[in-house]
């Protein structure tokens, strides 16, 4: 006799998984674009302002998706994490460590994203310090996805992680490279022969 399983019992779990992968993609795009902007990899005439708005939109979309990812999981009849389980790190009984890492990444993402709107009230130094943690948000999100996700072994998810990691690692490495020193020719003035007078000094 075939056992029938009502798919409605898993709708919250499936929705939360889909939102989690979507959040990872949005975070990757936001972090990658932010690194590209700060490292001046992207140089489009008149484009920085538009790219900054796109970066802000991606960050907000990622944050909203993270909230939806956790909120949807509350409705899962099997896990039953409750509000505490999706808000407090390491409080969920299922995969407490990896879910805790994901919750910490969510709170960190919220702090960085919302700092866009309080930049006038905090120093630029604090704002820049916060944004140094954007790469950590992506790394923690990947760790959460692979550590607690039921699709961690799936080839399609591994391709998504690899596809997002490659450009982010490149942008991060480019950002950390030392700036190219100015050429010596630009630093030195051309030497004049003794007794000669420059045009500016001529009577």
């Amino acid at each position: 006799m075939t056992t029938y399983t009502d798919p409605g019992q898993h709708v919250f779990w499936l929705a939360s998984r889909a939102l989690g992968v979507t959040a990872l993609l949005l975070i990757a795009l936001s972090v990658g674009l932010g690194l590209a902007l700060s490292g001046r990899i992207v140089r489009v005439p008149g484009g920085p302002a538009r790219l900054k708005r796109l970066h802000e939109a991606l960050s907000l979309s990622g944050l909203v998706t993270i909230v939806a990812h956790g909120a949807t999981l509350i409705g899962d009849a099997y896990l039953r994490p409750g509000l505490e389980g999706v808000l407090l790190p390491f409080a969920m009984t299922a995969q407490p460590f990896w879910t805790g890492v994901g919750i910490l990444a969510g709170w960190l993402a919220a702090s960085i994203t919302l700092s866009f709107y309080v930049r006038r009230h905090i120093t630029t130094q604090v704002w820049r310090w916060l944004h140094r943690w954007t790469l950590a948000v992506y790394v923690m999100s990947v760790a959460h996805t692979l550590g607690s996700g039921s699709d961690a072994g799936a080839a399609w998810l591994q391709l998504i992680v690899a596809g997002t990691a490659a450009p982010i690692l490149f942008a991060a490495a480019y950002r950390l490279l030392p700036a190219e020193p100015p050429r010596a020719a630009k630093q030195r003035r051309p030497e004049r022969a003794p007794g000669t007078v420059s045009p500016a000094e001529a009577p």
Side-chain angles (χ1 to χ4, degrees), residues 112 125-136 175:
I112 296 171
Q125 183 178 3
V126 172
W127 186 81
R128 288 178 177 175
W129 179 82
L130 278 173
H131 275 69
R132 290 176 184 175
W133 291 91
T134 54
L135 185 59
R175 177 70 177 83

Side-chain angles (χ1 to χ4, degrees), residues 85 91 120 136 151 158 200:
R120 295 180 180 179
D151 299 311
Q158 294 176 358

Side-chain angles (χ1 to χ4, degrees), residues 30 79 102 110 175 185:
S30 175
L79 289 178
R175 177 70 177 83

Side-chain angles (χ1 to χ4, degrees), residues 2-14 76-78:
T2 304
T3 303
Y4 174 74
T5 302
D6 182 9
Q9 296 178 358
H10 306 286
V11 64
F12 289 103
W13 169 250
L14 293 172
D76 183 64
Y78 177 76

